[in-house]
Amino acid sequence: MSSRTDIDTDTEADVNAEAEVDVNADTDTDTDPDADFGLTEAGGGTATGAPASARPLEAHTTAARTGEAITASDLHAAATGADTFPGVLRQALNRRGLSLERVSERLRGRGIAISQATLSSWQRGRSQPERARSLRAVEVLEEILELPAGALRSLLGPRRPRGRTTPAGDEGAALQILGEDSVVEKALGARFRHFNQETSSLVVHDMVTIGESGTLSGISTTNVLRAGRAGADRAIFVLSFDDEAAEPVDIRVTCGRLVEATYLKGLKSLVLEIHFGRKLAKLDTTVVSYAVDVSPSETPATHYERWSRTNLHEYLQQVFFHPGALPSDCHRYVREKVGAPPRAQRRIPLSDAHNVHVLTSRCKPGVHGVAWEYGP
């Protein structure tokens, strides 16, 4: 299983938890890398969120609701950006089953040269059509994707400043560790560009529980966050699972107020939005604590990871094993980015209470994990 501060993505782990990133939009250029994918992934407070229903969450449904009622369609739109140009474009591409390469070819057949990279940038919300050629392409896209006239063009926002925008420090750090088109970016859709840009993590404590069969049973996280600007009042967290049989069945928020819990089955990712219960002053701190119980998966868990785009003051990682599924060996490691080879590996002892822990002070950006092996 794996988890990361700022953003969580799905590597080889059984779960990845938590996410924050600040991503600035790019202008309308052809320089973004190609991507073709479909959608099927601070602070705390004092209010306590209602527990989730004790059943697997369906895609785009609410696990726990507090405050005003949230409909499934509202969550679907929020999670996928379905009411935005990128969201509608992605959904239309998925519905028609067309790759970006095929769409680019069909546009060229109509005399409009739009690269796959630009189409990828449009559907990710990192740039938008603005030039005359691009706006003409949008009109043709509506025909290709069998959308009503104006369905896409009517969703375009105001014209952006010209010129290539260099990614902000937070975005650059996130992309350097996660890579392009990560599970988190796909899970959040248009929200990926700006989510959690008002806060940063200072201290994170992850507790992972492994059940009798050796599969993930649950994860509990406490996150101390600091506001980078006045008015911050919420944070979004993404947990991604490797095994599609592992689904969240219960969600509890003990610090903060849960207002959204959306499970995207096709991405094996859970999106949580937690409000702090108050607006923070600049540099003010708050605490968010939540726990997620998981249905039994089909394969044993073998590791847990968290990635961070910034320095953490302290990171504590604990893994608790069932007495009937004790590992034969455990070690800690660090990756420079998701999918990179592990380095700085070191064995860690299993305690008499059947758990291991890693405490890292001045935790540098990167991927921090614990892995274990089972004997015969």
Side-chain angles (χ1 to χ4, degrees):
M1 104 186 32
S2 84
S3 158
R4 312 171 179 82
T5 62
D6 292 336
I7 300 185
D8 304 307
T9 62
D10 183 40
T11 61
E12 306 160 297
D14 294 291
V15 70
N16 313 311
E18 238 158 303
E20 307 172 19
V21 70
D22 178 5
V23 181
N24 294 338
D26 291 335
T27 56
D28 180 17
T29 69
D30 291 351
T31 57
D32 286 331
D34 179 36
D36 185 7
F37 59 81
L39 288 173
T40 340
E41 147 172 117
T46 56
T48 301
S53 57
R55 60 176 177 78
L57 301 175
E58 299 297 333
H60 315 306
T61 61
T62 307
R65 298 180 181 181
T66 56
E68 295 183 3
I70 302 175
T71 66
S73 60
D74 290 337
L75 288 177
H76 182 277
T80 64
D83 56 349
T84 65
F85 176 83
V88 172
L89 177 58
R90 282 195 305 273
Q91 286 191 346
L93 288 167
N94 294 337
R95 185 178 63 253
R96 295 278 289 126
L98 293 174
S99 68
L100 296 184
E101 180 181 10
R102 179 58 178 154
V103 172
S104 181
E105 291 176 352
R106 295 184 65 171
L107 286 171
R108 282 198 299 271
R110 300 283 291 271
I112 304 173
I114 298 293
S115 70
Q116 296 176 50
T118 294
L119 292 172
S120 172
S121 182
W122 289 356
Q123 74 167 356
R124 296 202 314 268
R126 298 190 63 203
S127 69
Q128 71 174 20
E130 292 178 345
R131 297 186 179 96
R133 179 197 64 180
S134 298
L135 294 176
R136 172 56 184 155
V138 171
E139 295 174 354
V140 176
L141 274 174
E142 292 171 348
E143 299 176 15
I144 294 174
L145 299 176
E146 299 180 354
L147 293 171
L152 286 173
R153 184 157 181 172
S154 64
L155 297 174
L156 293 175
R159 187 179 180 88
R160 294 171 179 171
R162 303 311 307 164
R164 176 78 177 180
T165 301
T166 301
D170 287 343
E171 176 188 4
L175 293 176
Q176 183 177 5
I177 296 173
L178 279 179
E180 295 280 353
D181 306 322
S182 65
V183 171
V184 172
E185 184 174 355
K186 295 176 185 179
L188 293 178
R191 293 191 295 177
F192 178 77
R193 291 168 48 204
H194 302 298
F195 88 108
N196 294 353
Q197 65 178 358
E198 298 180 334
T199 58
S200 60
S201 296
L202 298 178
V203 179
V204 178
H205 180 192
D206 285 328
M207 292 188 294
V208 181
T209 304
I210 304 301
E212 185 174 8
S213 62
T215 62
L216 174 68
S217 176
I219 175 174
S220 175
T221 294
T222 296
N223 197 326
V224 180
L225 302 123
R226 180 169 60 193
R229 65 185 69 174
D233 65 352
R234 70 194 65 191
I236 295 176
F237 305 91
V238 179
L239 294 82
S240 297
F241 306 88
D242 281 349
D243 192 336
E244 61 183 9
E247 297 186 0
V249 294
D250 189 42
I251 302 169
R252 301 175 302 281
V253 175
T254 53
C255 284
R257 179 167 58 90
L258 181 63
V259 296
E260 175 189 336
T262 303
Y263 182 62
L264 303 168
K265 188 176 181 65
L267 294 173
K268 298 178 288 186
S269 296
L270 173 66
V271 178
L272 302 176
E273 180 176 325
I274 299 177
H275 286 205
F276 307 151
R278 63 187 177 94
K279 292 184 179 295
L280 304 181
K282 185 176 181 179
L283 302 183
D284 197 1
T285 60
T286 188
V287 178
V288 167
S289 294
Y290 62 85
V292 178
D293 293 338
V294 180
S295 62
S297 59
E298 297 178 352
T299 57
T302 58
H303 64 282
Y304 176 85
E305 293 181 344
R306 169 175 290 276
W307 84 266
S308 176
R309 64 187 166 102
T310 59
N311 291 309
L312 291 173
H313 289 349
E314 191 169 80
Y315 176 47
L316 174 59
Q317 193 175 48
Q318 290 181 282
V319 182
F320 296 83
F321 297 94
H322 189 279
L326 297 180
S328 59
D329 181 68
C330 298
H331 64 272
R332 60 184 296 182
Y333 61 89
V334 177
R335 302 181 193 270
E336 292 184 357
K337 60 182 180 180
V338 172
R343 57 180 178 80
Q345 299 186 63
R346 192 176 71 190
R347 294 188 66 179
I348 50 178
L350 185 68
S351 74
D352 293 341
H354 312 313
N355 70 79
V356 296
H357 82 275
V358 176
L359 176 62
T360 305
S361 297
R362 298 177 182 176
C363 186
K364 295 182 179 180
V367 180
H368 304 270
V370 171
W372 52 91
E373 298 175 357
Y374 295 103

